[in-house]
Coordinates of all heavy atoms in Angstrom, one line a residue:
M21 N -1.8 16.3 0.3 CA -0.7 16.3 -0.8 C 0.2 15.1 -0.6 O 0.5 14.7 0.5 CB 0.1 17.6 -0.6 CG -0.7 18.9 -0.8 SD 0.0 20.2 0.1 CE 0.2 19.6 1.7
V22 N 0.7 14.8 -1.8 CA 1.5 13.5 -1.8 C 2.7 13.8 -2.8 O 2.6 14.7 -3.6 CB 0.8 12.3 -2.4 CG1 -0.3 11.8 -1.4 CG2 0.2 12.5 -3.7
K23 N 3.8 13.0 -2.6 CA 4.8 12.9 -3.5 C 4.7 11.6 -4.2 O 4.7 10.6 -3.5 CB 6.2 13.1 -2.9 CG 7.4 13.0 -3.9 CD 8.6 13.5 -3.4 CE 9.4 12.5 -2.6 NZ 10.8 12.9 -2.4
I24 N 4.6 11.6 -5.5 CA 4.7 10.4 -6.3 C 6.1 10.2 -6.8 O 6.7 11.1 -7.5 CB 3.7 10.5 -7.4 CG1 2.3 10.7 -6.9 CG2 3.7 9.2 -8.3 CD1 1.2 11.1 -7.9
E25 N 6.6 9.0 -6.5 CA 8.1 8.7 -7.0 C 7.9 7.5 -7.9 O 7.4 6.5 -7.6 CB 8.9 8.3 -5.9 CG 9.3 9.4 -4.9 CD 10.2 8.9 -3.8 OE1 10.5 7.7 -3.7 OE2 10.7 9.8 -3.1
A26 N 8.3 7.7 -9.2 CA 8.2 6.6 -10.2 C 9.7 6.4 -10.7 O 10.4 7.3 -11.0 CB 7.4 7.0 -11.3
I27 N 10.0 5.1 -10.6 CA 11.3 4.6 -11.2 C 11.0 3.8 -12.4 O 10.3 2.8 -12.3 CB 12.1 3.8 -10.1 CG1 12.4 4.6 -8.8 CG2 13.4 3.3 -10.8 CD1 12.7 3.8 -7.6
V28 N 11.5 4.4 -13.5 CA 11.1 3.7 -14.8 C 12.4 3.3 -15.6 O 13.4 3.9 -15.4 CB 10.1 4.6 -15.6 CG1 8.9 5.0 -14.8 CG2 10.8 5.9 -16.1
R29 N 12.2 2.5 -16.6 CA 13.2 2.2 -17.5 C 13.7 3.5 -18.2 O 12.8 4.3 -18.7 CB 12.8 1.2 -18.6 CG 12.4 -0.1 -18.1 CD 12.0 -1.0 -19.3 NE 11.4 -2.3 -18.8 CZ 12.1 -3.3 -18.5 NH1 13.4 -3.3 -18.7 NH2 11.5 -4.4 -18.1
K30 N 15.0 3.7 -18.5 CA 15.5 4.8 -19.3 C 14.9 4.8 -20.6 O 14.4 5.9 -21.2 CB 17.0 4.6 -19.4 CG 17.7 5.9 -19.7 CD 19.2 5.7 -19.8 CE 19.9 7.0 -20.4 NZ 21.1 6.7 -21.2
E31 N 14.7 3.7 -21.3 CA 14.2 3.6 -22.6 C 12.7 4.0 -22.7 O 12.2 4.3 -23.8 CB 14.2 2.1 -23.2 CG 15.6 1.5 -23.1 CD 15.7 0.8 -21.7 OE1 15.0 -0.2 -21.4 OE2 16.4 1.4 -20.8
K32 N 12.0 4.0 -21.6 CA 10.5 4.3 -21.5 C 10.3 5.7 -21.1 O 9.2 6.2 -21.1 CB 9.8 3.3 -20.5 CG 9.6 2.0 -21.2 CD 8.5 2.1 -22.2 CE 8.1 0.8 -22.9 NZ 7.1 1.0 -23.9
F33 N 11.4 6.3 -20.7 CA 11.3 7.7 -20.1 C 10.6 8.7 -21.0 O 9.7 9.5 -20.6 CB 12.6 8.3 -19.4 CG 12.4 9.6 -19.0 CD1 11.7 9.9 -17.9 CD2 12.9 10.7 -19.8 CE1 11.4 11.3 -17.4 CE2 12.8 12.0 -19.4 CZ 11.9 12.3 -18.2
A34 N 11.0 8.7 -22.3 CA 10.5 9.7 -23.2 C 8.9 9.6 -23.3 O 8.2 10.6 -23.4 CB 11.0 9.5 -24.6
D35 N 8.4 8.4 -23.4 CA 7.0 8.1 -23.5 C 6.3 8.6 -22.1 O 5.2 9.1 -22.2 CB 6.7 6.5 -23.6 CG 7.1 6.0 -24.9 OD1 7.5 6.9 -25.8 OD2 7.2 4.8 -25.0
V36 N 6.8 8.3 -21.0 CA 6.3 8.7 -19.7 C 6.2 10.2 -19.7 O 5.2 10.8 -19.3 CB 7.0 8.1 -18.6 CG1 6.5 8.6 -17.2 CG2 7.0 6.5 -18.6
C37 N 7.4 10.8 -20.1 CA 7.4 12.3 -20.1 C 6.3 12.9 -20.9 O 5.7 13.9 -20.5 CB 8.8 12.6 -20.5 SG 9.1 14.4 -20.2
A38 N 6.1 12.3 -22.1 CA 5.2 12.9 -23.1 C 3.8 12.9 -22.5 O 3.1 13.8 -22.6 CB 5.2 12.1 -24.4
V39 N 3.4 11.8 -21.9 CA 2.1 11.8 -21.3 C 1.9 12.7 -20.1 O 0.8 13.4 -20.0 CB 1.5 10.4 -20.8 CG1 0.8 9.7 -21.8 CG2 2.6 9.6 -20.2
L40 N 3.0 12.8 -19.3 CA 2.9 13.6 -18.1 C 2.8 15.1 -18.5 O 2.1 15.9 -17.9 CB 4.0 13.4 -17.1 CG 3.9 12.0 -16.4 CD1 5.2 11.8 -15.6 CD2 2.7 12.0 -15.4
E41 N 3.5 15.5 -19.6 CA 3.5 16.9 -20.0 C 2.1 17.3 -20.5 O 1.7 18.4 -20.4 CB 4.5 17.1 -21.2 CG 5.9 17.4 -20.7 CD 6.8 17.8 -21.9 OE1 6.9 17.0 -22.9 OE2 7.5 18.8 -21.7
R42 N 1.3 16.3 -21.0 CA 0.0 16.6 -21.5 C -1.0 16.5 -20.4 O -2.2 16.8 -20.5 CB -0.5 15.6 -22.6 CG 0.4 15.8 -23.9 CD -0.4 15.1 -25.1 NE -0.5 13.7 -24.9 CZ 0.3 12.8 -25.2 NH1 1.4 13.1 -25.8 NH2 0.1 11.5 -25.0
S43 N -0.6 16.1 -19.1 CA -1.6 15.9 -18.1 C -1.7 17.2 -17.2 O -1.1 18.1 -17.4 CB -1.0 14.8 -17.2 OG 0.0 15.2 -16.3
G44 N -2.6 17.0 -16.2 CA -2.8 18.2 -15.3 C -1.8 18.4 -14.2 O -2.1 19.1 -13.2
I45 N -0.6 17.7 -14.2 CA 0.3 17.8 -13.0 C 0.9 19.3 -13.0 O 1.1 19.9 -14.1 CB 1.4 16.8 -13.1 CG1 2.3 16.9 -14.3 CG2 0.8 15.4 -12.9 CD1 3.6 16.0 -14.2
G46 N 1.2 19.6 -11.8 CA 1.8 21.0 -11.6 C 3.2 21.0 -12.1 O 3.7 22.2 -12.4
G47 N 4.0 20.0 -12.1 CA 5.4 19.9 -12.4 C 5.9 18.5 -12.1 O 5.3 17.7 -11.6
M48 N 7.2 18.4 -12.5 CA 7.9 17.2 -12.1 C 9.4 17.4 -12.1 O 9.9 18.3 -12.7 CB 7.6 16.0 -13.0 CG 8.1 16.1 -14.4 SD 7.7 14.5 -15.3 CE 8.7 14.7 -16.7
T49 N 10.1 16.5 -11.4 CA 11.5 16.6 -11.3 C 12.1 15.2 -11.8 O 11.4 14.2 -11.4 CB 12.0 16.8 -9.9 OG1 11.5 18.1 -9.4 CG2 13.5 16.9 -9.7
V50 N 13.1 15.2 -12.5 CA 13.6 14.0 -13.1 C 15.1 13.8 -12.6 O 15.9 14.8 -12.7 CB 13.6 14.1 -14.7 CG1 14.2 12.9 -15.3 CG2 12.1 14.2 -15.1
I51 N 15.3 12.6 -12.2 CA 16.7 12.3 -11.6 C 17.2 11.0 -12.2 O 16.6 10.0 -12.2 CB 16.5 12.1 -10.1 CG1 15.9 13.4 -9.4 CG2 17.9 11.8 -9.4 CD1 15.2 13.1 -8.1
P52 N 18.4 11.2 -12.8 CA 19.0 9.9 -13.3 C 19.3 9.0 -12.2 O 19.7 9.4 -11.1 CB 20.4 10.3 -13.9 CG 20.3 11.9 -13.9 CD 19.3 12.3 -12.9
A53 N 19.1 7.7 -12.3 CA 19.3 6.8 -11.3 C 19.8 5.5 -11.7 O 19.8 5.1 -12.9 CB 17.8 6.5 -10.5
H54 N 20.3 4.6 -10.7 CA 20.7 3.3 -10.9 C 20.2 2.4 -9.8 O 20.1 2.8 -8.7 CB 22.3 3.2 -11.0 CG 23.0 3.9 -12.0 ND1 23.2 5.3 -11.9 CD2 23.4 3.5 -13.2 CE1 23.9 5.6 -13.0 NE2 23.9 4.6 -13.8
G55 N 19.7 1.3 -10.2 CA 19.2 0.4 -9.2 C 19.0 -1.1 -9.5 O 19.3 -1.4 -10.7
F56 N 18.6 -1.9 -8.5 CA 18.2 -3.2 -8.9 C 17.0 -3.6 -8.1 O 16.7 -2.9 -7.1 CB 19.4 -4.2 -8.4 CG 19.7 -4.3 -7.0 CD1 18.9 -5.1 -6.0 CD2 20.8 -3.6 -6.4 CE1 19.3 -5.1 -4.7 CE2 21.1 -3.8 -5.0 CZ 20.3 -4.5 -4.2
G57 N 16.3 -4.6 -8.7 CA 15.1 -5.1 -8.0 C 15.3 -6.6 -7.5 O 16.4 -6.8 -7.1
H58 N 14.4 -7.3 -7.5 CA 14.4 -8.7 -7.0 C 15.4 -9.5 -7.7 O 16.1 -10.4 -7.1 CB 13.1 -9.4 -7.2 CG 12.1 -9.0 -6.2 ND1 10.7 -9.1 -6.4 CD2 12.2 -8.5 -5.0 CE1 10.0 -8.6 -5.4 NE2 10.9 -8.2 -4.4
H59 N 15.8 -9.3 -8.9 CA 16.7 -10.2 -9.7 C 18.1 -9.9 -9.4 O 19.0 -10.8 -9.6 CB 16.4 -10.1 -11.2 CG 14.9 -10.6 -11.4 ND1 14.6 -11.9 -11.5 CD2 13.8 -9.9 -11.6 CE1 13.3 -12.1 -11.7 NE2 12.8 -10.9 -11.7
R60 N 18.4 -8.8 -8.8 CA 19.8 -8.4 -8.4 C 20.8 -8.8 -9.5 O 21.9 -9.2 -9.2 CB 20.2 -9.2 -7.2 CG 19.5 -8.6 -5.9 CD 19.7 -9.7 -4.8 NE 19.4 -9.0 -3.5 CZ 18.3 -8.4 -3.2 NH1 17.2 -8.4 -4.0 NH2 18.1 -7.8 -2.1
N61 N 20.4 -8.3 -10.7 CA 21.5 -8.7 -11.9 C 22.2 -7.5 -12.1 O 22.4 -7.0 -13.3 CB 20.7 -9.2 -13.1 CG 19.5 -8.3 -13.5 OD1 19.1 -7.5 -12.8 ND2 19.1 -8.5 -14.7
G62 N 22.8 -6.8 -11.1 CA 23.6 -5.6 -11.3 C 22.8 -4.4 -11.4 O 21.6 -4.4 -11.5
L63 N 23.4 -3.2 -11.2 CA 22.7 -1.9 -11.2 C 22.4 -1.6 -12.6 O 23.2 -1.6 -13.6 CB 23.6 -0.8 -10.7 CG 23.9 -0.9 -9.2 CD1 24.8 0.3 -8.7 CD2 22.6 -0.7 -8.4
K64 N 21.1 -1.2 -12.9 CA 20.7 -0.8 -14.2 C 20.4 0.6 -14.2 O 19.9 1.2 -13.2 CB 19.4 -1.7 -14.6 CG 19.6 -3.2 -14.6 CD 20.4 -3.6 -15.8 CE 20.6 -5.2 -15.7 NZ 21.9 -5.6 -16.3
E65 N 20.6 1.3 -15.4 CA 20.2 2.7 -15.5 C 18.7 2.8 -15.5 O 18.0 2.2 -16.3 CB 20.7 3.2 -16.8 CG 21.8 4.3 -16.6 CD 22.3 4.9 -17.9 OE1 22.7 4.0 -18.8 OE2 22.3 6.1 -18.0
K66 N 18.2 3.7 -14.6 CA 16.8 3.9 -14.5 C 16.6 5.5 -14.5 O 17.6 6.3 -14.3 CB 16.2 3.4 -13.3 CG 16.3 1.9 -13.0 CD 15.4 1.1 -14.1 CE 15.7 -0.4 -14.0 NZ 14.9 -1.2 -14.9
V67 N 15.3 6.0 -14.5 CA 15.1 7.4 -14.4 C 14.1 7.5 -13.2 O 13.1 6.7 -13.2 CB 14.5 7.9 -15.7 CG1 14.1 9.4 -15.4 CG2 15.5 7.9 -16.8
K68 N 14.4 8.4 -12.3 CA 13.4 8.5 -11.2 C 12.7 9.9 -11.4 O 13.3 10.9 -11.7 CB 14.2 8.6 -9.8 CG 13.3 8.7 -8.7 CD 14.1 8.7 -7.4 CE 13.2 8.9 -6.2 NZ 13.9 9.0 -4.9
I69 N 11.3 9.8 -11.3 CA 10.5 11.0 -11.5 C 9.8 11.3 -10.2 O 9.3 10.4 -9.6 CB 9.4 10.7 -12.6 CG1 10.1 10.3 -13.9 CG2 8.4 11.8 -12.7 CD1 9.2 9.6 -14.9
E70 N 9.8 12.6 -9.9 CA 9.1 13.0 -8.6 C 8.1 14.0 -9.0 O 8.4 15.0 -9.6 CB 10.2 13.6 -7.6 CG 11.1 12.5 -7.2 CD 12.0 13.0 -6.0 OE1 12.0 14.2 -5.6 OE2 12.7 12.2 -5.4
I71 N 6.9 13.8 -8.5 CA 5.8 14.7 -8.7 C 5.1 15.1 -7.5 O 4.6 14.1 -6.7 CB 4.7 14.0 -9.7 CG1 5.3 13.7 -11.0 CG2 3.5 14.9 -9.9 CD1 4.6 12.6 -11.8
Y72 N 4.8 16.3 -7.1 CA 4.0 16.7 -6.1 C 2.6 16.9 -6.5 O 2.4 17.5 -7.6 CB 4.4 18.1 -5.5 CG 5.9 18.1 -5.0 CD1 6.7 19.2 -5.2 CD2 6.4 17.1 -4.2 CE1 8.0 19.2 -4.8 CE2 7.7 17.0 -3.8 CZ 8.5 18.2 -4.1 OH 9.8 18.1 -3.6
A73 N 1.6 16.4 -5.8 CA 0.2 16.3 -6.4 C -0.7 16.3 -5.2 O -0.4 16.1 -4.1 CB 0.0 15.1 -7.3
D74 N -2.0 16.5 -5.7 CA -3.1 16.3 -4.7 C -3.6 14.9 -4.7 O -3.4 14.2 -5.7 CB -4.3 17.2 -5.1 CG -4.4 18.6 -4.5 OD1 -4.1 18.6 -3.3 OD2 -4.6 19.6 -5.2
E75 N -4.1 14.5 -3.6 CA -4.5 13.0 -3.5 C -5.5 12.7 -4.6 O -5.4 11.6 -5.2 CB -5.3 12.8 -2.1 CG -4.4 12.6 -0.9 CD -3.9 13.8 -0.3 OE1 -4.2 15.0 -0.8 OE2 -3.3 13.7 0.8
F76 N -6.4 13.6 -5.0 CA -7.3 13.2 -6.0 C -6.7 13.0 -7.4 O -7.3 12.3 -8.3 CB -8.4 14.3 -6.2 CG -8.0 15.5 -6.9 CD1 -8.1 15.6 -8.3 CD2 -7.6 16.7 -6.2 CE1 -7.7 16.7 -9.0 CE2 -7.2 17.8 -6.9 CZ -7.2 17.8 -8.3
Q77 N -5.4 13.3 -7.6 CA -4.7 13.1 -8.9 C -4.0 11.8 -8.9 O -3.6 11.4 -10.0 CB -3.8 14.3 -9.1 CG -4.4 15.6 -9.2 CD -3.2 16.7 -9.4 OE1 -2.5 17.0 -8.4 NE2 -3.1 17.3 -10.5
V78 N -3.8 11.1 -7.8 CA -3.0 10.0 -7.7 C -3.3 8.9 -8.7 O -2.5 8.4 -9.4 CB -2.9 9.5 -6.3 CG1 -2.1 8.1 -6.1 CG2 -2.1 10.5 -5.3
D79 N -4.5 8.4 -8.6 CA -5.0 7.3 -9.4 C -4.7 7.6 -10.9 O -4.2 6.7 -11.6 CB -6.5 7.0 -9.2 CG -6.7 6.5 -7.8 OD1 -5.8 6.1 -7.1 OD2 -7.9 6.2 -7.5
A80 N -5.0 8.7 -11.3 CA -4.8 9.0 -12.7 C -3.4 9.0 -13.1 O -2.9 8.5 -14.2 CB -5.5 10.4 -13.1
I81 N -2.6 9.6 -12.2 CA -1.1 9.7 -12.5 C -0.5 8.3 -12.5 O 0.3 8.0 -13.4 CB -0.4 10.6 -11.5 CG1 -0.8 12.1 -11.8 CG2 1.1 10.5 -11.6 CD1 -0.4 13.0 -10.6
V82 N -0.9 7.4 -11.6 CA -0.4 6.1 -11.4 C -0.7 5.3 -12.8 O 0.1 4.6 -13.4 CB -0.9 5.4 -10.2 CG1 -0.6 3.9 -10.3 CG2 -0.3 6.0 -9.0
E83 N -1.9 5.5 -13.2 CA -2.4 4.8 -14.4 C -1.6 5.3 -15.7 O -1.2 4.5 -16.5 CB -3.9 5.2 -14.6 CG -4.7 4.0 -15.0 CD -4.4 2.6 -14.7 OE1 -4.1 2.3 -13.5 OE2 -4.3 1.8 -15.6
M84 N -1.5 6.6 -15.8 CA -0.7 7.2 -16.9 C 0.8 6.7 -17.0 O 1.2 6.2 -18.0 CB -0.6 8.7 -16.8 CG -1.8 9.4 -17.3 SD -1.6 11.2 -17.3 CE -1.9 11.6 -15.7
V85 N 1.4 6.7 -15.8 CA 2.8 6.2 -15.8 C 2.9 4.8 -16.0 O 3.7 4.3 -16.8 CB 3.5 6.6 -14.3 CG1 4.8 5.9 -14.2 CG2 3.6 8.1 -14.1
R86 N 1.9 4.0 -15.5 CA 2.1 2.5 -15.8 C 1.8 2.2 -17.1 O 2.5 1.5 -17.8 CB 1.0 1.8 -14.9 CG 1.3 1.6 -13.4 CD 0.5 0.4 -12.8 NE 0.8 -0.9 -13.5 CZ -0.2 -1.7 -13.8 NH1 -1.5 -1.4 -13.7 NH2 0.1 -2.8 -14.4
N87 N 0.9 2.9 -17.7 CA 0.5 2.6 -19.2 C 1.7 2.9 -20.1 O 2.0 2.2 -21.0 CB -0.7 3.4 -19.7 CG -2.0 2.6 -19.1 OD1 -1.9 1.5 -18.8 ND2 -3.0 3.5 -18.9
A88 N 2.4 4.0 -19.8 CA 3.5 4.5 -20.6 C 4.8 3.7 -20.3 O 5.7 3.6 -21.2 CB 3.7 5.9 -20.4
A89 N 5.0 3.2 -19.1 CA 6.3 2.7 -18.7 C 6.4 1.1 -18.8 O 7.4 0.5 -18.7 CB 6.6 3.1 -17.3
K90 N 5.2 0.5 -18.9 CA 5.3 -1.0 -18.8 C 5.7 -1.7 -20.1 O 5.2 -1.4 -21.2 CB 4.0 -1.6 -18.2 CG 2.8 -1.6 -19.1 CD 1.7 -2.4 -18.4 CE 0.5 -2.6 -19.3 NZ -0.6 -1.7 -18.8
T91 N 6.5 -2.7 -20.0 CA 6.8 -3.6 -21.0 C 6.3 -5.1 -20.6 O 6.2 -5.9 -21.5 CB 8.3 -3.8 -21.3 OG1 8.9 -4.4 -20.1 CG2 8.9 -2.4 -21.5
E92 N 5.8 -5.2 -19.4 CA 5.4 -6.4 -18.8 C 6.6 -7.4 -18.6 O 6.3 -8.7 -18.3 CB 4.2 -7.1 -19.6 CG 3.0 -6.1 -19.3 CD 1.7 -6.5 -20.1 OE1 1.8 -7.5 -20.8 OE2 0.8 -5.8 -20.0
S93 N 7.8 -7.0 -18.9 CA 9.0 -7.8 -18.5 C 9.5 -7.3 -17.2 O 9.3 -6.2 -16.7 CB 10.1 -7.6 -19.5 OG 9.6 -8.1 -20.8
S94 N 10.3 -8.2 -16.6 CA 10.9 -7.9 -15.3 C 11.7 -6.7 -15.4 O 12.5 -6.5 -16.4 CB 11.7 -9.1 -14.9 OG 12.3 -8.8 -13.6
G95 N 11.6 -5.8 -14.4 CA 12.4 -4.6 -14.5 C 11.8 -3.3 -14.8 O 12.4 -2.2 -15.0
D96 N 10.4 -3.4 -14.9 CA 9.7 -2.1 -15.4 C 9.7 -1.1 -14.3 O 9.5 0.1 -14.7 CB 8.2 -2.5 -15.7 CG 8.0 -3.1 -17.1 OD1 9.0 -3.1 -17.9 OD2 6.9 -3.5 -17.3
G97 N 10.0 -1.4 -13.1 CA 10.1 -0.3 -12.0 C 9.0 -0.3 -11.0 O 8.3 -1.2 -10.8
K98 N 9.0 0.8 -10.3 CA 8.1 1.0 -9.1 C 7.5 2.4 -9.2 O 8.0 3.3 -9.7 CB 8.8 0.9 -7.9 CG 9.7 -0.4 -7.6 CD 8.8 -1.5 -7.0 CE 9.8 -2.5 -6.5 NZ 9.3 -3.8 -6.6
I99 N 6.3 2.4 -8.5 CA 5.7 3.8 -8.2 C 5.4 3.8 -6.7 O 4.7 2.9 -6.2 CB 4.4 4.0 -9.0 CG1 4.6 3.8 -10.5 CG2 3.8 5.4 -8.7 CD1 3.4 3.8 -11.3
A100 N 5.8 4.8 -6.0 CA 5.6 5.0 -4.6 C 4.8 6.4 -4.3 O 5.1 7.3 -4.9 CB 6.9 5.0 -3.8
I101 N 4.0 6.2 -3.3 CA 3.1 7.4 -2.9 C 3.5 7.8 -1.5 O 3.4 6.9 -0.6 CB 1.7 7.2 -3.0 CG1 1.2 6.4 -4.3 CG2 0.9 8.5 -2.8 CD1 1.4 7.2 -5.5
L102 N 4.0 8.9 -1.3 CA 4.4 9.3 0.1 C 3.6 10.6 0.5 O 3.4 11.6 -0.3 CB 5.8 9.8 0.1 CG 7.0 8.8 -0.2 CD1 7.1 8.5 -1.7 CD2 8.3 9.4 0.3
N103 N 3.1 10.5 1.8 CA 2.3 11.7 2.3 C 3.3 12.8 2.4 O 4.3 12.6 3.0 CB 1.7 11.3 3.5 CG 0.4 10.4 3.3 OD1 -0.4 10.6 2.5 ND2 0.3 9.4 4.2
L104 N 2.8 14.0 2.2 CA 3.6 15.2 2.2 C 3.1 16.1 3.4 O 1.9 16.4 3.4 CB 3.5 16.0 0.9 CG 4.5 15.8 -0.1 CD1 4.4 17.0 -1.1 CD2 5.9 15.7 0.4
E105 N 3.9 16.6 4.2 CA 3.5 17.5 5.2 C 3.1 18.8 4.7 O 2.1 19.5 5.1 CB 4.7 17.6 6.2 CG 4.1 18.1 7.6 CD 5.2 17.7 8.7 OE1 5.7 16.6 8.8 OE2 5.6 18.7 9.3
N106 N 3.9 19.4 3.8 CA 3.6 20.7 3.3 C 4.6 21.0 2.1 O 5.6 20.3 1.9 CB 3.9 21.8 4.4 CG 3.0 23.1 4.1 OD1 2.4 23.2 3.2 ND2 3.1 23.9 5.1
I107 N 4.1 22.0 1.3 CA 5.0 22.4 0.2 C 4.9 23.9 0.1 O 3.8 24.5 0.5 CB 4.4 21.9 -1.2 CG1 4.0 20.5 -1.2 CG2 5.4 22.3 -2.4 CD1 3.4 19.9 -2.5
Y108 N 6.0 24.5 -0.2 CA 6.1 26.0 -0.3 C 6.4 26.4 -1.7 O 7.3 25.8 -2.3 CB 7.0 26.7 0.7 CG 6.7 26.5 2.1 CD1 7.1 25.4 2.8 CD2 5.8 27.4 2.8 CE1 6.7 25.2 4.1 CE2 5.5 27.2 4.1 CZ 5.9 26.1 4.7 OH 5.5 26.0 6.1
R109 N 5.8 27.4 -2.2 CA 6.3 28.0 -3.5 C 7.3 29.1 -3.1 O 6.8 30.1 -2.4 CB 5.2 28.5 -4.4 CG 5.7 29.3 -5.6 CD 4.5 29.6 -6.5 NE 4.1 28.5 -7.3 CZ 2.8 28.0 -7.3 NH1 1.9 28.7 -6.7 NH2 2.5 27.0 -8.1
I110 N 8.5 29.0 -3.4 CA 9.5 29.9 -3.0 C 9.2 31.3 -3.4 O 9.4 32.2 -2.5 CB 10.9 29.4 -3.6 CG1 11.4 28.1 -2.9 CG2 12.0 30.5 -3.4 CD1 12.6 27.4 -3.4
R111 N 8.8 31.5 -4.6 CA 8.7 32.9 -5.1 C 7.6 33.6 -4.3 O 7.9 34.9 -3.9 CB 8.2 32.8 -6.6 CG 7.9 34.2 -7.2 CD 7.6 34.1 -8.7 NE 6.5 33.2 -9.1 CZ 5.2 33.5 -9.0 NH1 4.8 34.8 -8.7 NH2 4.2 32.7 -9.3
T112 N 6.4 33.0 -4.0 CA 5.3 33.8 -3.4 C 5.1 33.5 -1.9 O 4.4 34.2 -1.1 CB 4.0 33.4 -4.1 OG1 3.9 32.0 -3.9 CG2 4.1 33.8 -5.6
G113 N 5.7 32.3 -1.4 CA 5.4 31.9 -0.1 C 4.2 31.2 0.1 O 3.8 30.8 1.2
E114 N 3.4 31.0 -1.0 CA 2.2 30.1 -0.9 C 2.6 28.8 -0.3 O 3.7 28.3 -0.6 CB 1.5 30.0 -2.3 CG 0.8 31.2 -2.8 CD 0.7 31.0 -4.3 OE1 1.6 31.1 -5.1 OE2 -0.6 31.0 -4.7
E115 N 1.6 28.1 0.3 CA 1.9 26.8 0.8 C 0.7 25.9 0.7 O -0.4 26.3 0.3 CB 2.3 26.9 2.2 CG 1.3 27.4 3.1 CD 1.8 27.4 4.7 OE1 2.0 26.4 5.2 OE2 1.9 28.6 5.1
G116 N 1.0 24.6 0.8 CA -0.1 23.6 0.7 C -0.5 23.4 -0.8 O 0.3 23.6 -1.7
A117 N -1.7 23.0 -1.0 CA -2.2 22.8 -2.3 C -2.0 23.9 -3.4 O -1.7 23.7 -4.4 CB -3.7 22.3 -2.3
A118 N -2.1 25.1 -2.8 CA -1.9 26.3 -3.6 C -0.5 26.4 -4.1 O -0.2 27.2 -5.1 CB -2.2 27.5 -2.8
A119 N 0.5 25.7 -3.4 CA 1.9 25.8 -4.0 C 2.2 24.7 -5.0 O 3.3 24.7 -5.5 CB 2.8 25.6 -2.7
I120 N 1.3 23.8 -5.3 CA 1.5 22.8 -6.2 C 1.5 23.3 -7.6 O 2.2 23.0 -8.5 CB 0.5 21.6 -6.1 CG1 0.7 20.9 -4.8 CG2 0.7 20.6 -7.3 CD1 -0.3 19.8 -4.5
Ligands
LIG255 N1 12.7 -2.2 -2.8 C1 13.2 -1.3 -3.6 N2 13.5 -0.1 -3.2 C2 14.0 0.9 -3.9 N3 14.0 0.8 -5.2 C3 13.6 -0.4 -5.8 C4 13.2 -1.4 -5.0 N4 12.9 -2.4 -5.9 C5 13.1 -2.0 -7.1 N5 13.5 -0.7 -7.1 C6 14.0 0.2 -8.2 O1 13.2 -0.1 -9.3 C7 14.0 -0.6 -10.4 C8 13.3 -1.6 -11.1 O2 12.9 -2.7 -10.2 P1 12.1 -3.9 -10.8 O3 11.0 -3.5 -11.6 O4 13.1 -4.9 -11.3 O5 11.6 -4.4 -9.4 P2 11.1 -5.9 -9.0 O6 10.4 -5.8 -7.8 O7 12.3 -6.8 -9.1 O8 10.0 -6.2 -10.2 P3 10.1 -7.1 -11.5 O9 9.5 -8.4 -11.0 O10 9.2 -6.4 -12.5 O11 11.5 -7.2 -11.9 C9 15.2 -1.1 -9.7 O12 16.4 -0.9 -10.7 C10 15.5 0.0 -8.6 O13 15.9 1.3 -9.1
LIG256 MG1 13.3 -7.0 -11.1

């Protein structure tokens, strides 16, 4: 299991959200964010998206997010993949892949 963190332009968030809603992901969390990249031209408003997923879903999710989020100009954002130790579904106590 992994956590996929995507930081995208605020103006691109609606497009990213639309593709992810139609995809097979179990869910996602959206966090308003501010950040800078290499250009350090002040903090820009961004949106951070967090998705818990199975490893086999990663390539498809990365591709979907990139296609929806990219303008090919500087500042399009980042996607990070983090290994996850475990996940629990609070309601049932299920854990691991069953909790996604
Ligand atoms: N090293 C980093 N650590 C954490 N967040 C980052 C990092 N680099 C970029 N970000 C986040 O991603 C956002 C967009 O970054 P940006 O796309 O400008 O990265 P970049 O590496 O400068 O690439 P580009 O060449 O496309 O500008 C930043 O506003 C920030 O929120
Ligand atoms: Mg940049």
Side-chain angles (χ1 to χ4, degrees):
M21 294 155 309
V22 295
K23 177 164 85 160
I24 300 168
E25 296 184 346
I27 299 164
V28 303
R29 294 178 189 276
K30 197 181 172 209
E31 314 84 75
K32 282 289 182 180
F33 172 69
D35 292 348
V36 175
C37 191
V39 271
L40 289 173
E41 274 188 311
R42 290 197 302 270
S43 77
I45 63 170
M48 71 179 196
T49 300
V50 175
I51 303 156
H54 295 84
F56 66 79
H58 283 155
H59 298 280
R60 283 166 164 63
N61 52 344
L63 288 175
K64 302 290 179 208
E65 241 181 313
K66 302 286 174 185
V67 177
K68 184 174 178 186
I69 300 164
E70 297 190 348
I71 300 165
Y72 302 137
D74 268 316
E75 278 86 350
F76 77 85
Q77 299 176 288
V78 169
D79 291 351
I81 293 169
V82 169
E83 220 29 51
M84 279 187 278
V85 171
R86 280 200 65 225
N87 285 333
K90 73 169 183 253
T91 67
E92 291 173 4
S93 295
S94 180
D96 278 351
K98 304 274 198 213
I99 304 173
I101 314 297
L102 293 80
N103 285 317
L104 265 197
E105 200 164 308
N106 207 351
I107 311 175
Y108 294 89
R109 175 172 282 123
I110 290 175
R111 176 174 57 85
T112 59
E114 289 164 289
E115 62 181 294
I120 293 173

